[in-house]
Amino acid sequence: MTLGPAVDGLIVDSRAMHEDYAVLRGPHTLTLSSSAATPEGTLGAINLRTVSSWKAETDVTMAPSVSYSITARLEVASHGRAVSEITRAVEHAGGVVTALDVNSGNHGKLRVDVTCAATDTAHAESLVAAMAAIPGVSVHKVSDRTFLLHLGGKIEMRSKVPLRNRDDLSMAYTPGVARVSLALAAKPEDARRLTIKRNSVAVVTDGSAVLGLGNVGPYAALPVMEGKAALFKRFANIDAWPICLDTQDTDQIVATVAAISPGFGGINLEDISAPRCFEVERRLRAMLDIPVFHDDQHGTAIVVLAALTNALRVVGKELPDVKIVMSGAGAAGTAVLKLLLIAGAKNVISCDISGAVHQGRPGLNENLAWIAEHTNADAYQGNLAGAVVGADVFIGVSAPNVLAGEDVKSMNHDAIVFALANPDPEVDPDEAREYAAVVATGRSDYPNQINNVLAFPGVFRGLLDAQSTKITDTMLVAAARALADVVPAEELGPDYIVPSVFHPDVAAGVAAAVREAALAEDEAAHLDEE
């Protein structure tokens, strides 16, 4: 059977780009091939090849997700069972039909647009093959909905003022704007009042640690930074701008961000690999008069502290009394650790790929040396599995499958497990649930998702509203406590320790707490000066 040309060929791109990450579940026989073209030209052939079932190195099963959804345009024979045969074929192939639109076709046939959710790109191709294998069905177009959403980018700039006539233009631009420029030349501090600086954030990356993809560079980082900017606007009405730098030199990154800082009220560092991210943030904070916030570090830390605060409320334990074991001593792990210590944690062991971090361990860099000095008071020198024995809390910000269910079993009663590696956690969440009282992950298909979107919009909203020149640990703790308190005591439970990102009180509550903390610190600083 020959497929007609795809409307955009995006399923071809999706397959090629994601093949290394695909996790195929169940046997799918793919036997069709076709050319596919975009409006700009032919992209090549869809190779629907025979793929035997294989199992990835993780036992965590991926459910069909809208992030791997496709829309297929079919032409089918017009008879009573036509539509039901399509939905049955998709379901038998392990997919989920999320939308179906039927229109009349030519010569007694129906045109059917079927939207399906799959587990990955290879699975999406198998769903197309399953539908194409139905007698009387012709596949005309197949589009990857995620790629369609990204066509032309996800954000845009719009004017806040009308430009209807010459008068409007003369005030918004020359010659009227020159008067504002002269005023700012005389008094630069008024830039927050008279320009977009008061509500703008730069989302800066060098593409060195993008999501779980690694060092993929600035072009691959751009759609992620666009998404981040969209989240700033959606949840906090902040105008954020993606800044993707084509350099991974620390000095150049610092110099570039410092040079563009006059146009922004805050800097959000994103997806910059450790340990460079520590130096970049430290130097920029010392140089600039606006807040600098590395979300991979501090956003994660805020949400982890908030979630742990509520998880401890569920099991009836206090932060200073519990033994905490952490897996991961990179940017996020270090930031989480520092915020936990500031919030009152006393007994923490941090582990990396070489085992427990302790004083006297050879080869410690500056960051690990700090961790060794401030944790692991008993100088435990073993591995992660040994460290979690008797622990009350496990927090993983590291790599998949570093623990087994039996390791969770060795923890203290009413254990709390935060397995945050994405998409495959440090321990299978279902296995962890057999022994732990509370389990959280970084995934959206399990309860208690630890998601930075819960933190950064509100944090920056509060900073911008307070016109803060810095961000401090006090503000981070205030944000975490405010986020935890969004979940009322009567709703708190093992499967609900953090609110939904769409909860209306999340950004507002975090913003209010950060704003109050920032203003209090500013007032205290003025009193000290007096």
Side-chain angles (χ1 to χ4, degrees):
M1 179 181 295
T2 301
L3 305 186
V7 66
D8 44 49
L10 292 178
I11 196 168
V12 181
D13 281 348
S14 180
R15 178 70 177 117
M17 293 179 180
H18 295 282
E19 185 167 11
D20 290 341
Y21 305 100
V23 181
L24 188 59
R25 298 294 175 184
H28 302 299
T29 301
L30 312 182
T31 57
L32 303 178
S33 66
S34 171
S35 62
T38 66
E40 291 77 19
T42 300
L43 288 178
I46 300 176
N47 294 316
L48 300 177
R49 49 193 172 81
T50 301
V51 180
S52 59
S53 176
W54 60 279
K55 186 174 182 180
E57 293 179 357
T58 174
D59 290 325
V60 180
T61 301
M62 299 290 288
S65 166
V66 69
S67 62
Y68 286 104
S69 62
I70 60 171
T71 296
R73 173 158 291 182
L74 313 177
E75 189 173 79
V76 305
S78 180
H79 59 78
R81 299 188 306 276
V83 173
S84 62
E85 287 176 348
I86 294 169
T87 58
R88 189 181 307 114
V90 172
E91 292 168 357
H92 285 178
V96 176
V97 175
T98 59
L100 193 146
D101 186 36
V102 181
N103 293 286
S104 61
N106 297 321
H107 309 297
K109 292 191 174 184
L110 298 176
R111 187 182 66 203
V112 182
D113 290 338
V114 184
T115 301
C116 319
T119 58
D120 53 57
T121 312
H123 186 208
E125 290 189 1
S126 75
L127 299 183
V128 176
M131 290 184 283
I134 301 171
V137 171
S138 299
V139 180
H140 286 264
K141 303 174 183 177
V142 181
S143 299
D144 185 314
R145 295 177 67 224
T146 296
F147 275 74
L148 282 175
L149 182 143
H150 284 78
L151 283 177
K154 301 187 292 291
I155 60 174
E156 64 181 3
M157 195 286 294
R158 293 190 180 188
S159 175
K160 294 168 61 178
V161 298
L163 298 175
R164 299 163 298 192
N165 50 48
R166 188 175 296 275
D167 282 356
D168 291 341
L169 189 61
S170 296
M171 289 188 288
Y173 198 53
T174 185
V177 70
R179 297 177 55 224
V180 181
S181 295
L182 290 172
L184 291 176
K187 194 176 181 182
E189 59 268 29
D190 276 354
R192 289 182 184 270
R193 185 170 64 88
L194 293 172
T195 73
I196 197 174
K197 182 181 180 74
R198 69 185 297 169
N199 196 54
S200 65
V201 170
V203 182
V204 180
T205 187
D206 65 355
S208 60
V210 179
L211 303 178
L213 307 177
N215 188 357
V216 294
Y219 289 105
L222 183 54
V224 182
M225 301 310 115
E226 283 185 9
K228 190 90 174 190
L231 295 173
F232 267 113
K233 191 65 176 178
R234 164 62 177 82
F235 292 108
N237 197 28
I238 291 171
D239 298 307
W241 313 95
I243 309 294
C244 299
L245 304 179
D246 193 11
T247 178
Q248 296 183 359
D249 178 83
T250 300
D251 291 340
Q252 289 188 23
I253 294 172
V254 171
T256 302
V257 175
I260 66 172
S261 64
F264 299 97
I267 304 294
N268 183 105
L269 300 175
E270 190 80 15
D271 291 348
I272 299 174
S273 62
R276 289 179 308 109
C277 60
F278 301 119
E279 182 180 354
V280 169
E281 183 184 60
R282 176 178 55 79
R283 289 171 59 180
L284 286 172
R285 284 186 169 185
M287 293 172 64
L288 303 183
D289 61 353
I290 56 177
V292 178
F293 179 89
H294 186 202
D295 185 48
D296 301 312
Q297 297 182 60
H298 310 301
T300 302
I302 289 168
V303 183
V304 167
L305 177 56
L308 182 58
T309 299
N310 280 342
L312 290 171
R313 289 170 177 170
V314 170
V315 300
K317 299 180 182 181
E318 299 291 334
L319 184 61
D321 302 329
V322 296
K323 175 185 175 182
I324 302 172
V325 175
M326 296 188 60
S327 174
T334 301
V336 170
L337 169 63
K338 289 182 177 181
L339 199 61
L340 290 177
L341 294 176
I342 291 167
K346 304 293 185 185
N347 183 5
V348 185
I349 297 175
S350 182
C351 297
D352 63 7
I353 195 170
S354 299
V357 179
H358 59 87
Q359 288 187 307
R361 197 180 95 175
L364 296 181
N365 61 28
E366 182 181 354
N367 181 56
L368 292 178
W370 186 96
I371 292 174
E373 181 182 350
H374 291 85
T375 63
N376 199 0
D378 295 331
Y380 170 76
Q381 300 183 20
N383 61 13
L384 177 63
V388 299
V389 175
D392 299 281
V393 179
F394 168 76
I395 299 173
V397 280
S398 55
N401 304 312
V402 295
L403 289 179
E406 288 298 312
D407 297 315
V408 179
K409 185 178 181 180
S410 72
M411 295 176 66
N412 200 0
H413 69 281
D414 288 335
I416 297 168
V417 172
F418 288 3
L420 307 183
N422 226 348
D424 301 321
E426 285 81 0
V427 60
D428 186 311
D430 294 322
E431 290 186 17
R433 284 176 179 278
E434 294 182 20
Y435 307 106
V438 180
V439 176
T441 72
R443 289 174 43 163
S444 59
D445 53 346
Y446 283 94
N448 301 327
Q449 183 189 19
I450 306 300
N451 191 330
N452 289 17
V453 182
L454 291 164
F456 70 81
V459 168
F460 271 99
R461 181 73 275 158
L463 292 170
L464 292 173
D465 290 347
Q467 297 188 18
S468 180
T469 60
K470 61 184 178 180
I471 184 166
T472 65
D473 292 331
T474 300
M475 299 176 198
L476 300 181
V477 173
R481 289 174 175 164
L483 178 57
D485 289 343
V486 171
V487 181
E490 62 271 17
E491 296 181 13
L492 194 61
D495 291 330
Y496 188 51
I497 58 173
V498 287
S500 163
V501 298
F502 294 101
H503 193 296
D505 296 335
V506 168
V510 171
V514 171
R515 181 173 59 251
E516 182 178 341
L519 292 174
E521 289 194 17
D522 188 52
E523 182 179 355
H526 285 311
L527 290 176
D528 289 341
E529 291 175 0
E530 296 175 358

